[in-house]
Amino acid sequence: MSTLASVVLALALDALLGEPRRWHPLVGFGRLAQALEARCNRHGNRLGRVTGLLCWAVLVLPPVALCALALPAPADTLFGALVLYFALGARSLAEHARAVAEPLLRGELPAARQALSMIVSRDTTALSESGVAAATCESVLENGNDAVFGALFWFVVAGAPGALLFRLANTLDAMWGYRTPRLLHFGWAAARLDDLLNLIPARLTALSYALAGSCANALHCWHTQAARHDSPNAGPVMAAGAGALGLALGGPAVYHGELEQRPTLGRGRDATPADIDAALRLTRRALLLWLAAITLGGLIATRIGT
């Protein structure tokens, strides 16, 4: 049950404190990653892929190894909670989403577009009110997996080192995993390794969204639409989440100055500003399901152990 204790403590710290405003370890990690990419990303094709993989290993493996060796067993619960706290971003996700929803509900579309541009990589300057609401809901659903459920899964499976591995890999994917001319080869390894680490968590996230929302609609959308998305993990999460909310999300969007024809996911009406809070409520209900599952797993493990 120490795993459950660490999870509850980490979630409580995240809810009370949010992400550290100063000296956040991931901020320093991100700056180091940016500097390493600027120095080493000078090749294309296979050599660029090998360079990117080596840089990924240099950045990720040492801190994960140190985490595994950090403290003896009696301190595992507290240490695990602290590592998981730094890996989580549930409160930050909600704060960023509400920063878009509040001006949108007041009819201040330019301010909402600006707030949205802080959390998505698409061009937000020409989005309508519904487009801003839809993009925010998409961000909440996808980042629910990246900022909450993926870290929880790997913490349960592999403890603090697992959560740290997932968060660092996800951070590098967010920085290097774009299919731009500069990062197409260098970021290949970061994108593929993040896909691998998300393979199971993304599907558990999709299932929890379905169970926490309109289940039949979510499962139908997941089954029939997920494969349309170019990401093997975002597809199930987005399709199930949109279906659970009864919304139609996705569609064409401008990324890095180019229009991308992305599929429509979900089934239902177009998004409204009020649906941003509905998406946040869905992630909270899904989190309660995860906590219940972790608790049940701990009880079963304790019973078997005795």
Side-chain angles (χ1 to χ4, degrees):
M1 297 297 286
S2 63
T3 297
L4 176 63
S6 294
V7 168
V8 171
L9 180 55
L11 288 170
L13 289 172
D14 180 67
L16 290 172
L17 305 176
E19 292 186 344
R21 303 299 180 185
R22 301 178 63 185
W23 310 111
H24 195 304
L26 286 178
V27 174
F29 177 81
R31 289 174 179 166
L32 182 60
Q34 188 176 36
L36 191 61
E37 185 272 331
R39 183 175 183 84
C40 297
N41 183 14
R42 299 178 181 179
H43 307 283
N45 300 325
R46 292 183 180 178
L47 185 56
R49 291 185 176 189
V50 171
T51 303
L53 176 59
L54 291 174
C55 288
W56 186 96
V58 166
L59 285 170
V60 173
L61 297 184
V64 171
L66 288 174
C67 180
L69 299 172
L71 287 175
D76 275 354
T77 298
L78 179 58
F79 178 69
L82 290 174
V83 173
L84 181 57
Y85 160 61
F86 284 115
L88 291 172
R91 175 169 167 172
S92 177
L93 175 61
E95 289 174 345
H96 281 97
R98 292 194 181 103
V100 180
E102 290 171 0
L104 204 57
L105 289 167
R106 295 194 299 266
E108 300 171 1
L109 184 55
R113 289 170 175 163
Q114 176 61 33
L116 177 62
S117 71
M118 304 298 292
I119 59 173
V120 299
S121 56
R122 72 181 64 183
D123 185 353
T124 66
T125 55
L127 289 179
S128 65
E129 178 183 88
S130 179
V132 171
T136 308
C137 289
E138 293 171 32
S139 179
V140 169
L141 294 173
E142 187 169 3
N143 284 296
N145 177 73
D146 292 342
V148 182
F149 302 118
L152 286 178
F153 173 82
W154 282 107
F155 183 81
V156 171
V157 169
L164 182 61
L165 171 65
F166 174 82
R167 195 68 176 114
L168 296 183
N170 186 253
T171 299
L172 289 183
D173 175 59
M175 297 182 68
W176 296 353
Y178 294 105
R179 295 177 181 175
T180 61
R182 177 177 179 83
L183 295 171
L184 180 62
H185 299 289
F186 183 86
W188 177 85
R192 297 292 77 78
L193 289 166
D194 182 71
D195 284 345
L196 180 63
L197 290 171
N198 262 308
L199 195 63
I200 297 175
R203 283 146 186 82
L204 292 177
T205 300
L207 179 60
S208 62
Y209 284 163
L211 294 174
S214 179
C215 188
N217 197 39
L219 293 176
H220 172 80
C221 294
W222 179 1
H223 176 69
T224 60
Q225 300 172 354
R228 300 177 189 172
H229 201 286
D230 60 0
S231 168
N233 298 317
V237 171
M238 297 289 292
L245 292 168
L247 299 176
L249 301 176
V254 177
Y255 290 87
H256 308 291
E258 295 187 5
L259 180 64
E260 294 188 11
Q261 298 295 333
R262 298 206 166 189
T264 298
L265 300 175
R267 186 171 62 174
R269 57 180 174 79
D270 291 338
T272 67
D275 289 315
I276 296 174
D277 194 54
L280 290 171
R281 290 196 302 271
L282 180 72
T283 62
R284 289 196 293 270
R285 292 195 298 270
L287 179 57
L288 291 176
L289 291 175
W290 278 67
L291 287 174
I294 293 170
T295 301
L296 179 60
L299 291 173
I300 292 173
T302 300
R303 178 62 63 89
I304 292 174
T306 57

